[in-house]
Amino acid sequence: MSALKITGLRASIPGREILRGIDLEVESGQVHAVMGPNGSGKSTLSHVLMGRPGYEVTGGSVTIDGVELLELPTWKRAQAGLFLALQYPIEVPGVSLADMFAESFAAAGRDRASVPALVTAEAERIGFDARFLTRPLNVDLSGGEKKRNETLQLGLLRPKFAILDEIDSGLDVDALRAVARRVEAETTETGLGVLAITHYSRLLSELKPDVVHVLSGGRIVATGGAELADELERTGYAGYVEDDAEVEVMAHLDDPFADHLA
Ligand code: ADP
Ligand code: MG
C-alpha cells in the first residue's frame, strides 16, 4: 500500500500565486477526481507535482511513501512512481516511442526485449495502432491518438500513481470508454492510484472515483463522493467560485490553440 501525499502545496508563476495551499492524499487503488473551472490551477497542479520548470514552489510538500518529491528532478519523480499524462502531450521529433520505452525500461531495470510484445498487447486493449511505435513521439498524431499514446505509456511503465490531465479531451466515445476501462483495470490489477483531472462525469462512469474534489482559485473548495461529479455536471461550478467574472475572463485559456505555456 502506497500513498501520494500533498500537503499545503503552494506555487507561483512570476507575479502571481496559482496554487494556494493544496491538501490531498491518494492511496494505492484509489481514484480521486479533480474538477474545476478553466484557469483554476488544475494543470498547474499536475505540472508542479511532476516538476515542470517555470513554477516556483513556495510552500508545502509532496511525498510518495515518505519520499519528498519536490526536491527531485522530474526523472527521479518518475522513478519514485509518479506518472503524468499531459493535457497537451508534446511532440518529440527524432525520438520514437520504441526509443523512449527502451530507455525507461533500462532505467527501471526491466527487460527491454519485452517491449514490443507488451506494446502490442497494450495497444490492442485501448485501440491504439502499434505502428506508431517506430514513429517520432506524438508527431502528426491526432488529439485522440496522443491521449491513447499517453495511456499506452501508463500501461507499460506501471507507475504507482498517475495524474491524468483531461485524458478524455479529444477522445471519441468508444476510445474514451476503452481508455477509462484500461486505467480502471490498472487500479485493481496493480493497485495504481489515480488523480484524474476532468470536466466530464462520463470519464468517471468507467473510471469510478472514490473521491471528487473541486479546485477553484488554486484551492480545493469542496470534496465529496462520486455524486459530486454528477452534481457539477448538472449545475456547473457557479456555486464554488468566489467570483464568476474571473471564470469568464479565464475561459479562453483552456483553448488548446492558445499555447499559453509555450
Ligand atoms: P486549468 O488547468 O485549471 O484550466 P491552469 O493550471 O492551466 O488552469 O492555469 C491556471 C492559471 O495560471 C491560468 O490563469 C493560466 O493562464 C496561468 N498559468 C499557468 N501556468 C502558467 C505559466 N507558465 N505562465 C503564465 N501563466 C500560467
Ligand atoms: Mg488544464
Side-chain angles (χ1 to χ4, degrees), residues 13 16 18 37-45 54-55 87 250 253-254 260-261:
I13 53 168
R16 189 161 142 226
I18 310 286
N38 295 329
S40 58
K42 302 182 300 296
S43 292
T44 300
L45 174 62
Y55 303 93
Q87 180 173 6
M250 288 179 175
L253 290 172
D254 242 9
H260 59 282
L261 289 172

Side-chain angles (χ1 to χ4, degrees), residues 168-186:
D168 42 358
S169 68
L171 290 178
D172 61 45
V173 177
D174 294 329
L176 173 61
R177 191 176 302 121
V179 162
R181 279 192 184 155
R182 179 65 193 91
V183 179
E184 173 73 26
E186 201 66 13

Side-chain angles (χ1 to χ4, degrees), residues 103-178:
E103 289 303 321
S104 342
F105 270 54
R110 293 172 68 189
D111 178 13
R112 46 168 101 185
S114 64
V115 169
L118 286 172
V119 166
T120 307
E122 274 300 323
E124 203 165 315
R125 282 180 89 162
I126 54 166
F128 188 69
D129 195 330
R131 281 180 309 154
F132 290 131
L133 194 60
T134 51
R135 299 239 317 254
L137 192 63
N138 283 325
V139 173
D140 294 332
L141 263 58
S142 74
E145 285 164 348
K146 287 180 182 171
K147 294 305 174 104
R148 272 179 281 199
N149 193 352
E150 299 282 284
T151 311
L152 180 88
Q153 293 168 42
L154 168 61
L156 251 77
L157 297 177
R158 297 200 198 123
K160 289 181 185 162
F161 294 96
I163 309 154
L164 311 176
D165 193 356
E166 302 201 21
I167 192 90
D168 42 358
S169 68
L171 290 178
D172 61 45
V173 177
D174 294 329
L176 173 61
R177 191 176 302 121

